[in-house]
C-alpha cells in the first residue's frame, strides 16, 4: 500500500478528532460561564424582589431601605474612610483566631486520638463547652479579660478549635491500615509518621473541618466586636443600630456575610488544589 494512500486514509480520522476536542473545550468553557452566572442570577433575583417589595408595599426606610440606599450607605463608609480600618481589624481577628484555633484543635485532636485515657477525660468537657451558648460565654470572657483583644481572640478560639479537633481525630482514625504498616516498615519516628503519613492521609477531613471553622471564626469575631469593641464590622452594626441608621446596619451585615463567603471560598479553593490528585 502506498504512502499517499495511508495519508489519505489518516486524514478523515484527524478531521473527526478535532471537532470532538473542540466540542469538549467549548462545553467546559460553557460550564465555567454557567457556574459564574448562576450565583449572579440568584443575587439579581433577590435584589429585584427586595426592591419591588419595598416599593410596592411602601416600606419605611427605617425598617427596610431599598437596595440603592444600602449601596449608598456602603459607599459612604468607603468615602469617609470608615470601612477599611474596621474591615482590616475584623479580618486580622478572623485570620489570627482561625490559625490559632486550628493549631490548637489539630494538636488536641491528635492527643485525643493517641490517648484513650485523655479522650475519656476531656471529651465530655469539650462537648459541654461546645454546647454552651457562645452569646452567654462572651460576657464572661469580657468580665475576665476586659474590653481587649484577649477576650475577642478567646471567643474565636473557642469556636474554632472544636471542629478542627473533631476533624483531626476522625481523619486520623480513617488512615488506611496499609499506610500505617508502611510507616512501621520505614521505622519512622512519631513526628515523621505524623508529618509524612498521618496528616496527608487526614487532609480531606481537616479541610472539611476548616470550612466549618472559618465560618465559626467569622461568627466569633463579629460577636466579640458586637459586645465589646470600638472597632470592626460588629462595631459598625452596633453604630448603625444605636443611631437608627438602617442602611449602615444592613451594609455592615452584607459586608460581614461577604467576608464569611470569602473565607469559605478560600478554603474550598485550597481543598480543590490540595486534593486534585486524589479525585
Amino acid at each position: 500500500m502506498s504512502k499517499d494512500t495511508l495519508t489519505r486514509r489518516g486524514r478523515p480520522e484527524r478531521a473527526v478528532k478535532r471537532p470532538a476536542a473542540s466540542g469538549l473545550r467549548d462545553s467546559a468553557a460553557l460550564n465555567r460561564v454557567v457556574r459564574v452566572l448562576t450565583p449572579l442570577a440568584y443575587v439579581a433575583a433577590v435584589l429585584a424582589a427586595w426592591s419591588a417589595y419595598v416599593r410596592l408595599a411602601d416600606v419605611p426606610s427605617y425598617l427596610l431601605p431599598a437596595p440603592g440606599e444600602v449601596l449608598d450607605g456602603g459607599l459612604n463608609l468607603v468615602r469617609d474612610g470608615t470601612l477599611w480600618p474596621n474591615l482590616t481589624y475584623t479580618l486580622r481577628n478572623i485570620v489570627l483566631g482561625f490559625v490559632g484555633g486550628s493549631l490548637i484543635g489539630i494538636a488536641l485532636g491528635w492527643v485525643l486520638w493517641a490517648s484513650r485515657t485523655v479522650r475519656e477525660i476531656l471529651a465530655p468537657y469539650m462537648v459541654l463547652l461546645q454546647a454552651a451558648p457562645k452569646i452567654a460565654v462572651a460576657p464572661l470572657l469580657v468580665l475576665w479579660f476586659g474590653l481587649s483583644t484577649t477576650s475577642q481572640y478567646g471567643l474565636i478560639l473557642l469556636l474554632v478549635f472544636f471542629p478542627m479537633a473533631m476533624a483531626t481525630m476522625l481523619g486520623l482514625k480513617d488512615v488506611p491500615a496499609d499506610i500505617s504498616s508502611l510507616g512501621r516498615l520505614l521505622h519512622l519516628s512519631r513526628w515523621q509518621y505524623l508529618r509524612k503519613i498521618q496528616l496527608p492521609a487526614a487532609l480531606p477531613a481537616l479541610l472539611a473541618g476548616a470550612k466549618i471553622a472559618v465560618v465559626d471564626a467569622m461568627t466569633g469575631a463579629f460577636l466579640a466586636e458586637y459586645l465589646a469593641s470600638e472597632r470592626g464590622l460588629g462595631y459598625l452594626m452596633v453604630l448603625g443600630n444605636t443611631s437608627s441608621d438602617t442602611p449602615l446596619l444592613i451594609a455592615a451585615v452584607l459586608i460581614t456575610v461577604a467576608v464569611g463567603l470569602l473565607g469559605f471560598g478560600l478554603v474550598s479553593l485550597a481543598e480543590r488544589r490540595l486534593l486534585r490528585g486524589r479525585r
Side-chain angles (χ1 to χ4, degrees):
M1 187 179 293
S2 66
K3 184 177 180 181
D4 294 339
T5 304
L6 290 174
T7 303
R8 286 195 299 271
R9 289 186 178 182
R11 286 174 182 170
E13 295 179 0
R14 290 195 296 270
V16 173
K17 291 179 180 178
R18 287 173 182 170
S22 177
L24 290 175
R25 287 194 297 269
D26 293 341
S27 177
L30 180 61
N31 289 334
R32 286 194 294 270
V33 172
V34 170
R35 285 197 299 268
V36 172
L37 293 181
T38 299
L40 294 178
Y42 283 130
V43 172
V46 170
L47 291 177
W50 177 4
S51 180
Y53 172 72
V54 170
R55 184 176 63 257
L56 296 177
D58 196 21
V59 180
S61 177
Y62 66 87
L63 290 179
L64 181 63
E69 296 181 59
V70 175
L71 177 61
D72 290 338
L75 292 177
N76 288 334
L77 291 176
V78 177
R79 294 191 192 100
D80 60 18
T82 303
L83 177 62
W84 304 120
N86 291 282
L87 178 59
T88 54
Y89 181 81
T90 299
L91 288 175
R92 186 197 68 183
N93 290 347
I94 291 174
V95 171
L96 293 178
F98 174 73
V99 173
S102 296
L103 293 176
I104 294 173
I106 291 173
L108 184 58
W110 181 85
V111 172
L112 293 174
W113 168 84
S115 174
R116 181 178 179 180
T117 303
V118 175
R119 183 165 62 250
E120 291 177 349
I121 294 174
L122 292 184
Y125 296 101
M126 290 177 57
V127 174
L128 287 174
L129 183 62
Q130 185 66 17
K134 302 306 179 290
I135 190 66
V137 174
L140 288 176
L141 295 175
V142 174
L143 178 64
W144 294 336
F145 301 106
L147 299 175
S148 63
T149 55
T150 304
S151 60
Q152 297 175 35
Y153 289 140
L155 182 58
I156 299 174
L157 292 177
L158 284 177
L159 287 170
V160 170
F161 91 94
F162 185 80
M164 293 304 298
M166 293 297 102
T168 302
M169 189 168 60
L170 294 175
L172 294 177
K173 283 183 178 180
D174 291 337
V175 175
D178 55 347
I179 297 181
S180 299
S181 301
L182 176 62
R184 288 192 295 269
L185 290 174
L186 294 175
H187 301 290
L188 299 177
S189 66
R190 176 168 289 189
W191 166 245
Q192 290 174 326
Y193 181 62
L194 173 66
R195 182 170 56 88
K196 295 183 178 181
I197 292 182
Q198 287 182 306
L199 288 181
L203 190 58
L206 289 174
L207 290 171
K211 287 182 178 181
I212 302 173
V214 72
V215 177
D216 286 346
M218 184 271 296
T219 304
F222 152 73
L223 182 58
E225 294 166 359
Y226 193 88
L227 293 175
S229 179
E230 296 181 351
R231 286 186 293 172
L233 296 177
Y235 167 74
L236 291 181
M237 294 182 198
V238 175
L239 181 62
N241 186 33
T242 55
S243 62
S244 299
D245 191 346
T246 310
L248 170 62
L249 174 60
I250 297 180
V253 170
L254 294 179
I255 294 171
T256 303
V257 171
V259 170
L261 292 176
L262 175 62
F264 187 88
L266 291 175
V267 176
S268 299
L269 179 61
E271 181 183 38
R272 286 197 297 270
R273 294 290 180 86
L274 294 174
L275 302 182
R276 180 180 299 172
R278 304 189 183 190
R279 298 179 178 178

